Amino acid sequence: MGQTVGILSGKGGTGKTSVCAGVAQALAQDGERVLCVDCDVGLGNLDISLGLTELGGLSFLDVSEGGYALDQALRHPIYPNLSFLAAPMNRPSEQIDPAAFLKLMALARKEYGYVLLDAPAGVDAGFRLVADAAERFLLVTGPGPAALRDAAQVGAILERMGKTDVRLVVNRVDKDMLSLVRMTIDDVMDAAGLPLAGVVLEDPAVTLAASFGKPILQYNKRSPAAKAYGRIARRLQGFPAAMPLR
């Protein structure tokens, strides 16, 4: 039985979708069967970070309610064991049947080792859809005070929902900025009140890869972000991995 991992953020602009795509690529590269589901209804762009913009594909609504089979999900041309379901564009999150989505997730866990759900920013209906379906969570934040406050609030909501496996990913970290404000990653963890899953340095390769329509691990697998995604993937699999900036 596979694992369902919700990729969340308290606010927009944290780079949550890039983290989701990068970790999915790293898991697939390690030989895991992975399904990525874009749950940002109406605003989905996970396909860009995966390098799938030109290929189209089914939405999760097509499968959960539209009669298509899960094995018809778009397969990645570079990582054949990575599949993708897009966010539907024609229905608001509030009108999506949660029971049908949960049934799809139960089926996906039988077919894939990891199901990564890219949630919309914030805590509205799309967030609830992902939070109810996932057992594990990566909560993506920037190191700034507003992002950390929002991450702490999302963590508190998940705790009230009985979700216990919630880990922090500190993304787009500028080492010089942290030094200037005399802040450490431990300080960031304390501010959010959550254990750490990974640290991702600010990396122009992420934007460049998306601009060229390529997945980050294909564009530059030695870039700081690509290496960080690999470390996070290893930790999800239960393997030890070095934690920089600690």
Side-chain angles (χ1 to χ4, degrees), residues 2-57:
Q3 304 178 37
T4 307
V5 184
I7 316 296
L8 310 174
S9 67
K11 61 176 295 183
T14 63
K16 165 186 57 63
T17 295
S18 297
V19 170
C20 181
V23 172
Q25 293 163 48
L27 287 169
Q29 192 168 261
D30 283 346
E32 302 285 357
R33 293 199 71 220
V34 182
L35 175 66
C36 267
V37 184
D38 193 336
C39 298
D40 196 352
V41 175
L43 296 171
N45 56 22
L46 180 55
D47 60 318
I48 297 174
S49 294
L50 288 170
L52 297 173
T53 308
E54 304 297 326
L55 298 181

Tab-separated table of all heavy atoms in Angstrom, residues 2-57:
chain	number	residue	atom	x	y	z
A	2	GLY	N	0.600	2.165	-0.906
A	2	GLY	CA	1.411	3.367	-1.024
A	2	GLY	C	1.058	4.433	-0.005
A	2	GLY	O	0.149	4.271	0.821
A	3	GLN	N	1.794	5.536	-0.076
A	3	GLN	CA	1.615	6.652	0.848
A	3	GLN	C	1.087	7.866	0.097
A	3	GLN	O	1.494	8.133	-1.032
A	3	GLN	CB	2.949	7.013	1.496
A	3	GLN	CG	3.626	5.879	2.216
A	3	GLN	CD	4.965	6.288	2.786
A	3	GLN	OE1	5.140	7.403	3.259
A	3	GLN	NE2	5.918	5.387	2.742
A	4	THR	N	0.186	8.587	0.743
A	4	THR	CA	-0.338	9.825	0.183
A	4	THR	C	0.278	10.991	0.944
A	4	THR	O	0.148	11.072	2.169
A	4	THR	CB	-1.864	9.886	0.280
A	4	THR	OG1	-2.411	8.710	-0.305
A	4	THR	CG2	-2.411	11.100	-0.448
A	5	VAL	N	0.953	11.868	0.219
A	5	VAL	CA	1.676	12.986	0.834
A	5	VAL	C	1.069	14.296	0.327
A	5	VAL	O	1.067	14.572	-0.868
A	5	VAL	CB	3.182	12.941	0.476
A	5	VAL	CG1	3.928	14.053	1.204
A	5	VAL	CG2	3.769	11.573	0.814
A	6	GLY	N	0.547	15.093	1.236
A	6	GLY	CA	0.023	16.404	0.883
A	6	GLY	C	1.132	17.443	0.922
A	6	GLY	O	1.880	17.517	1.902
A	7	ILE	N	1.253	18.226	-0.137
A	7	ILE	CA	2.243	19.298	-0.200
A	7	ILE	C	1.478	20.601	0.001
A	7	ILE	O	0.695	21.015	-0.862
A	7	ILE	CB	3.001	19.316	-1.546
A	7	ILE	CG1	3.411	17.890	-1.963
A	7	ILE	CG2	4.210	20.228	-1.450
A	7	ILE	CD1	4.382	17.207	-1.060
A	8	LEU	N	1.697	21.249	1.127
A	8	LEU	CA	0.884	22.384	1.546
A	8	LEU	C	1.736	23.628	1.753
A	8	LEU	O	2.948	23.544	1.914
A	8	LEU	CB	0.165	22.068	2.861
A	8	LEU	CG	-0.612	20.764	2.956
A	8	LEU	CD1	-1.123	20.585	4.382
A	8	LEU	CD2	-1.778	20.753	1.994
A	9	SER	N	1.071	24.775	1.791
A	9	SER	CA	1.721	26.013	2.225
A	9	SER	C	0.661	26.913	2.818
A	9	SER	O	-0.525	26.826	2.459
A	9	SER	CB	2.429	26.725	1.065
A	9	SER	OG	1.494	27.210	0.131
A	10	GLY	N	1.078	27.776	3.726
A	10	GLY	CA	0.122	28.705	4.318
A	10	GLY	C	-0.230	29.840	3.384
A	10	GLY	O	-1.331	30.374	3.415
A	11	LYS	N	0.695	30.232	2.542
A	11	LYS	CA	0.462	31.354	1.639
A	11	LYS	C	1.086	31.053	0.289
A	11	LYS	O	1.867	30.117	0.142
A	11	LYS	CB	1.066	32.641	2.219
A	11	LYS	CG	2.574	32.587	2.434
A	11	LYS	CD	3.121	33.920	2.909
A	11	LYS	CE	2.959	34.987	1.843
A	11	LYS	NZ	3.533	36.278	2.226
A	12	GLY	N	0.720	31.859	-0.704
A	12	GLY	CA	1.299	31.680	-2.019
A	12	GLY	C	2.719	32.217	-2.087
A	12	GLY	O	3.160	32.973	-1.224
A	13	GLY	N	3.445	31.800	-3.114
A	13	GLY	CA	4.784	32.318	-3.334
A	13	GLY	C	5.886	31.595	-2.600
A	13	GLY	O	7.041	32.030	-2.636
A	14	THR	N	5.577	30.487	-1.925
A	14	THR	CA	6.608	29.757	-1.195
A	14	THR	C	7.380	28.792	-2.086
A	14	THR	O	8.405	28.255	-1.678
A	14	THR	CB	5.995	28.952	-0.028
A	14	THR	OG1	5.094	27.972	-0.565
A	14	THR	CG2	5.264	29.864	0.943
A	15	GLY	N	6.879	28.534	-3.301
A	15	GLY	CA	7.514	27.556	-4.168
A	15	GLY	C	7.052	26.142	-3.911
A	15	GLY	O	7.740	25.179	-4.264
A	16	LYS	N	5.870	25.998	-3.338
A	16	LYS	CA	5.324	24.685	-2.996
A	16	LYS	C	5.248	23.753	-4.199
A	16	LYS	O	5.620	22.573	-4.114
A	16	LYS	CB	3.934	24.877	-2.377
A	16	LYS	CG	3.063	23.641	-2.289
A	16	LYS	CD	1.682	23.982	-1.812
A	16	LYS	CE	1.002	25.015	-2.679
A	16	LYS	NZ	0.796	24.543	-4.081
A	17	THR	N	4.756	24.264	-5.322
A	17	THR	CA	4.581	23.425	-6.505
A	17	THR	C	5.924	22.939	-7.045
A	17	THR	O	6.055	21.786	-7.478
A	17	THR	CB	3.802	24.196	-7.582
A	17	THR	OG1	2.478	24.454	-7.089
A	17	THR	CG2	3.712	23.413	-8.876
A	18	SER	N	6.942	23.798	-7.020
A	18	SER	CA	8.276	23.388	-7.449
A	18	SER	C	8.819	22.282	-6.552
A	18	SER	O	9.464	21.331	-7.032
A	18	SER	CB	9.229	24.584	-7.436
A	18	SER	OG	8.824	25.564	-8.357
A	19	VAL	N	8.564	22.379	-5.246
A	19	VAL	CA	8.996	21.335	-4.316
A	19	VAL	C	8.284	20.030	-4.627
A	19	VAL	O	8.903	18.957	-4.686
A	19	VAL	CB	8.737	21.766	-2.861
A	19	VAL	CG1	8.959	20.596	-1.907
A	19	VAL	CG2	9.639	22.936	-2.476
A	20	CYS	N	6.978	20.098	-4.842
A	20	CYS	CA	6.207	18.893	-5.172
A	20	CYS	C	6.773	18.212	-6.414
A	20	CYS	O	7.020	17.000	-6.415
A	20	CYS	CB	4.736	19.270	-5.376
A	20	CYS	SG	3.670	17.860	-5.773
A	21	ALA	N	6.995	18.992	-7.467
A	21	ALA	CA	7.508	18.430	-8.712
A	21	ALA	C	8.907	17.869	-8.546
A	21	ALA	O	9.223	16.776	-9.048
A	21	ALA	CB	7.501	19.491	-9.799
A	22	GLY	N	9.774	18.588	-7.844
A	22	GLY	CA	11.145	18.136	-7.656
A	22	GLY	C	11.231	16.855	-6.854
A	22	GLY	O	12.000	15.933	-7.199
A	23	VAL	N	10.448	16.761	-5.778
A	23	VAL	CA	10.452	15.546	-4.959
A	23	VAL	C	9.877	14.377	-5.742
A	23	VAL	O	10.383	13.247	-5.664
A	23	VAL	CB	9.670	15.785	-3.650
A	23	VAL	CG1	9.490	14.482	-2.878
A	23	VAL	CG2	10.392	16.812	-2.783
A	24	ALA	N	8.828	14.629	-6.535
A	24	ALA	CA	8.243	13.566	-7.357
A	24	ALA	C	9.261	13.022	-8.348
A	24	ALA	O	9.380	11.799	-8.533
A	24	ALA	CB	7.018	14.099	-8.091
A	25	GLN	N	10.007	13.915	-9.002
A	25	GLN	CA	11.036	13.475	-9.950
A	25	GLN	C	12.107	12.645	-9.250
A	25	GLN	O	12.561	11.614	-9.777
A	25	GLN	CB	11.676	14.687	-10.616
A	25	GLN	CG	10.757	15.474	-11.529
A	25	GLN	CD	11.326	16.851	-11.821
A	25	GLN	OE1	12.496	16.993	-12.168
A	25	GLN	NE2	10.493	17.885	-11.688
A	26	ALA	N	12.521	13.097	-8.062
A	26	ALA	CA	13.562	12.379	-7.332
A	26	ALA	C	13.086	10.988	-6.915
A	26	ALA	O	13.833	10.014	-7.003
A	26	ALA	CB	13.996	13.190	-6.112
A	27	LEU	N	11.836	10.884	-6.465
A	27	LEU	CA	11.286	9.574	-6.096
A	27	LEU	C	11.228	8.653	-7.316
A	27	LEU	O	11.592	7.477	-7.241
A	27	LEU	CB	9.895	9.745	-5.499
A	27	LEU	CG	9.815	10.327	-4.086
A	27	LEU	CD1	8.372	10.692	-3.748
A	27	LEU	CD2	10.363	9.342	-3.055
A	28	ALA	N	10.754	9.204	-8.433
A	28	ALA	CA	10.669	8.405	-9.652
A	28	ALA	C	12.053	7.968	-10.120
A	28	ALA	O	12.244	6.834	-10.577
A	28	ALA	CB	9.958	9.196	-10.742
A	29	GLN	N	13.028	8.848	-10.002
A	29	GLN	CA	14.398	8.525	-10.391
A	29	GLN	C	14.970	7.417	-9.516
A	29	GLN	O	15.816	6.634	-9.963
A	29	GLN	CB	15.256	9.787	-10.283
A	29	GLN	CG	16.623	9.679	-10.910
A	29	GLN	CD	17.301	11.026	-11.021
A	29	GLN	OE1	17.305	11.653	-12.064
A	29	GLN	NE2	17.876	11.495	-9.936
A	30	ASP	N	14.477	7.337	-8.276
A	30	ASP	CA	14.907	6.273	-7.363
A	30	ASP	C	14.176	4.958	-7.620
A	30	ASP	O	14.400	3.981	-6.903
A	30	ASP	CB	14.666	6.698	-5.913
A	30	ASP	CG	15.712	7.685	-5.411
A	30	ASP	OD1	16.753	7.844	-6.076
A	30	ASP	OD2	15.488	8.309	-4.353
A	31	GLY	N	13.277	4.945	-8.604
A	31	GLY	CA	12.578	3.714	-8.959
A	31	GLY	C	11.201	3.567	-8.353
A	31	GLY	O	10.544	2.536	-8.561
A	32	GLU	N	10.746	4.576	-7.611
A	32	GLU	CA	9.406	4.510	-7.026
A	32	GLU	C	8.340	4.810	-8.080
A	32	GLU	O	8.563	5.601	-8.999
A	32	GLU	CB	9.273	5.525	-5.886
A	32	GLU	CG	10.261	5.363	-4.758
A	32	GLU	CD	9.939	4.192	-3.839
A	32	GLU	OE1	8.899	3.521	-4.052
A	32	GLU	OE2	10.729	3.948	-2.915
A	33	ARG	N	7.178	4.167	-7.936
A	33	ARG	CA	6.027	4.518	-8.772
A	33	ARG	C	5.313	5.697	-8.107
A	33	ARG	O	4.917	5.622	-6.949
A	33	ARG	CB	5.063	3.342	-8.921
A	33	ARG	CG	5.638	2.179	-9.699
A	33	ARG	CD	4.531	1.258	-10.206
A	33	ARG	NE	3.778	1.901	-11.280
A	33	ARG	CZ	2.450	1.814	-11.427
A	33	ARG	NH1	1.732	1.149	-10.552
A	33	ARG	NH2	1.845	2.411	-12.449
A	34	VAL	N	5.171	6.786	-8.851
A	34	VAL	CA	4.702	8.043	-8.278
A	34	VAL	C	3.529	8.576	-9.097
A	34	VAL	O	3.553	8.557	-10.332
A	34	VAL	CB	5.828	9.100	-8.258
A	34	VAL	CG1	5.348	10.398	-7.613
A	34	VAL	CG2	7.064	8.572	-7.536
A	35	LEU	N	2.516	9.054	-8.387
A	35	LEU	CA	1.421	9.791	-9.016
A	35	LEU	C	1.399	11.193	-8.438
A	35	LEU	O	1.312	11.363	-7.219
A	35	LEU	CB	0.081	9.111	-8.745
A	35	LEU	CG	-1.167	9.861	-9.254
A	35	LEU	CD1	-1.172	9.931	-10.785
A	35	LEU	CD2	-2.449	9.207	-8.734
A	36	CYS	N	1.493	12.198	-9.309
A	36	CYS	CA	1.366	13.597	-8.917
A	36	CYS	C	-0.040	14.073	-9.270
A	36	CYS	O	-0.482	13.894	-10.412
A	36	CYS	CB	2.380	14.466	-9.662
A	36	CYS	SG	3.913	14.711	-8.786
A	37	VAL	N	-0.717	14.692	-8.307
A	37	VAL	CA	-2.063	15.194	-8.534
A	37	VAL	C	-2.080	16.682	-8.229
A	37	VAL	O	-1.790	17.097	-7.099
A	37	VAL	CB	-3.105	14.469	-7.657
A	37	VAL	CG1	-4.515	14.949	-8.005
A	37	VAL	CG2	-2.993	12.956	-7.817
A	38	ASP	N	-2.414	17.491	-9.230
A	38	ASP	CA	-2.533	18.931	-9.037
A	38	ASP	C	-3.925	19.219	-8.483
A	38	ASP	O	-4.933	19.028	-9.172
A	38	ASP	CB	-2.329	19.658	-10.368
A	38	ASP	CG	-2.118	21.153	-10.189
A	38	ASP	OD1	-2.565	21.694	-9.157
A	38	ASP	OD2	-1.516	21.786	-11.078
A	39	CYS	N	-3.990	19.656	-7.239
A	39	CYS	CA	-5.271	19.917	-6.575
A	39	CYS	C	-5.588	21.400	-6.481
A	39	CYS	O	-6.532	21.791	-5.785
A	39	CYS	CB	-5.265	19.302	-5.174
A	39	CYS	SG	-5.076	17.505	-5.181
A	40	ASP	N	-4.822	22.232	-7.183
A	40	ASP	CA	-5.072	23.676	-7.186
A	40	ASP	C	-6.100	23.978	-8.283
A	40	ASP	O	-5.768	24.431	-9.374
A	40	ASP	CB	-3.770	24.432	-7.433
A	40	ASP	CG	-3.880	25.897	-7.071
A	40	ASP	OD1	-5.002	26.363	-6.765
A	40	ASP	OD2	-2.855	26.600	-7.098
A	41	VAL	N	-7.362	23.712	-7.977
A	41	VAL	CA	-8.436	23.755	-8.963
A	41	VAL	C	-8.564	25.145	-9.578
A	41	VAL	O	-8.649	26.146	-8.868
A	41	VAL	CB	-9.771	23.335	-8.307
A	41	VAL	CG1	-10.927	23.492	-9.290
A	41	VAL	CG2	-9.671	21.896	-7.809
A	42	GLY	N	-8.545	25.190	-10.899
A	42	GLY	CA	-8.685	26.440	-11.622
A	42	GLY	C	-7.404	27.224	-11.790
A	42	GLY	O	-7.331	28.115	-12.640
A	43	LEU	N	-6.383	26.902	-11.005
A	43	LEU	CA	-5.126	27.653	-11.054
A	43	LEU	C	-3.907	26.725	-11.128
A	43	LEU	O	-2.801	27.153	-10.828
A	43	LEU	CB	-4.998	28.566	-9.827
A	43	LEU	CG	-6.028	29.688	-9.695
A	43	LEU	CD1	-5.910	30.357	-8.323
A	43	LEU	CD2	-5.847	30.710	-10.798
A	44	GLY	N	-4.119	25.503	-11.509
A	44	GLY	CA	-3.037	24.524	-11.460
A	44	GLY	C	-1.896	24.834	-12.420
A	44	GLY	O	-2.123	25.233	-13.556
A	45	ASN	N	-0.670	24.644	-11.940
A	45	ASN	CA	0.505	24.801	-12.809
A	45	ASN	C	1.593	23.777	-12.494
A	45	ASN	O	2.751	23.986	-12.837
A	45	ASN	CB	1.070	26.228	-12.734
A	45	ASN	CG	1.407	26.655	-11.322
A	45	ASN	OD1	1.619	25.819	-10.446
A	45	ASN	ND2	1.445	27.954	-11.089
A	46	LEU	N	1.200	22.669	-11.868
A	46	LEU	CA	2.173	21.621	-11.572
A	46	LEU	C	2.763	21.049	-12.851
A	46	LEU	O	3.923	20.619	-12.874
A	46	LEU	CB	1.505	20.525	-10.741
A	46	LEU	CG	2.356	19.329	-10.311
A	46	LEU	CD1	3.603	19.770	-9.546
A	46	LEU	CD2	1.525	18.352	-9.485
A	47	ASP	N	1.979	21.056	-13.938
A	47	ASP	CA	2.489	20.544	-15.213
A	47	ASP	C	3.712	21.315	-15.693
A	47	ASP	O	4.611	20.748	-16.320
A	47	ASP	CB	1.390	20.577	-16.276
A	47	ASP	CG	0.855	21.986	-16.520
A	47	ASP	OD1	0.657	22.734	-15.543
A	47	ASP	OD2	0.634	22.341	-17.690
A	48	ILE	N	3.770	22.622	-15.388
A	48	ILE	CA	4.922	23.431	-15.803
A	48	ILE	C	6.189	22.948	-15.104
A	48	ILE	O	7.230	22.731	-15.740
A	48	ILE	CB	4.673	24.918	-15.508
A	48	ILE	CG1	3.485	25.437	-16.321
A	48	ILE	CG2	5.924	25.747	-15.797
A	48	ILE	CD1	3.089	26.862	-15.990
A	49	SER	N	6.109	22.759	-13.789
A	49	SER	CA	7.279	22.326	-13.023
A	49	SER	C	7.699	20.900	-13.368
A	49	SER	O	8.863	20.536	-13.189
A	49	SER	CB	6.999	22.438	-11.519
A	49	SER	OG	6.828	23.792	-11.143
A	50	LEU	N	6.755	20.103	-13.859
A	50	LEU	CA	7.079	18.732	-14.264
A	50	LEU	C	7.567	18.647	-15.703
A	50	LEU	O	7.974	17.580	-16.154
A	50	LEU	CB	5.849	17.834	-14.091
A	50	LEU	CG	5.453	17.486	-12.657
A	50	LEU	CD1	4.088	16.805	-12.639
A	50	LEU	CD2	6.495	16.604	-11.992
A	51	GLY	N	7.494	19.754	-16.439
A	51	GLY	CA	7.892	19.742	-17.837
A	51	GLY	C	6.875	19.064	-18.737
A	51	GLY	O	7.236	18.445	-19.743
A	52	LEU	N	5.578	19.211	-18.397
A	52	LEU	CA	4.525	18.517	-19.133
A	52	LEU	C	3.547	19.466	-19.808
A	52	LEU	O	2.465	19.043	-20.234
A	52	LEU	CB	3.739	17.595	-18.171
A	52	LEU	CG	4.529	16.462	-17.521
A	52	LEU	CD1	3.670	15.754	-16.482
A	52	LEU	CD2	5.025	15.481	-18.573
A	53	THR	N	3.911	20.723	-19.939
A	53	THR	CA	2.969	21.744	-20.404
A	53	THR	C	2.354	21.419	-21.754
A	53	THR	O	1.171	21.673	-21.985
A	53	THR	CB	3.676	23.112	-20.480
A	53	THR	OG1	4.307	23.376	-19.222
A	53	THR	CG2	2.685	24.210	-20.779
A	54	GLU	N	3.129	20.866	-22.654
A	54	GLU	CA	2.657	20.643	-24.017
A	54	GLU	C	1.911	19.326	-24.195
A	54	GLU	O	1.432	19.032	-25.299
A	54	GLU	CB	3.854	20.665	-24.989
A	54	GLU	CG	4.689	21.937	-24.933
A	54	GLU	CD	3.886	23.167	-25.333
A	54	GLU	OE1	3.010	23.038	-26.206
A	54	GLU	OE2	4.134	24.247	-24.761
A	55	LEU	N	1.759	18.531	-23.135
A	55	LEU	CA	1.251	17.170	-23.308
A	55	LEU	C	-0.196	16.983	-22.880
A	55	LEU	O	-0.789	15.940	-23.152
A	55	LEU	CB	2.149	16.184	-22.540
A	55	LEU	CG	3.606	16.134	-23.016
A	55	LEU	CD1	4.380	15.123	-22.194
A	55	LEU	CD2	3.684	15.796	-24.495
A	56	GLY	N	-0.789	17.943	-22.195
A	56	GLY	CA	-2.182	17.797	-21.790
A	56	GLY	C	-2.355	16.700	-20.759
A	56	GLY	O	-1.538	16.523	-19.865
A	57	GLY	N	-3.429	15.911	-20.896
A	57	GLY	CA	-3.678	14.819	-19.951
A	57	GLY	C	-4.968	15.000	-19.197
A	57	GLY	O	-5.610	16.059	-19.232
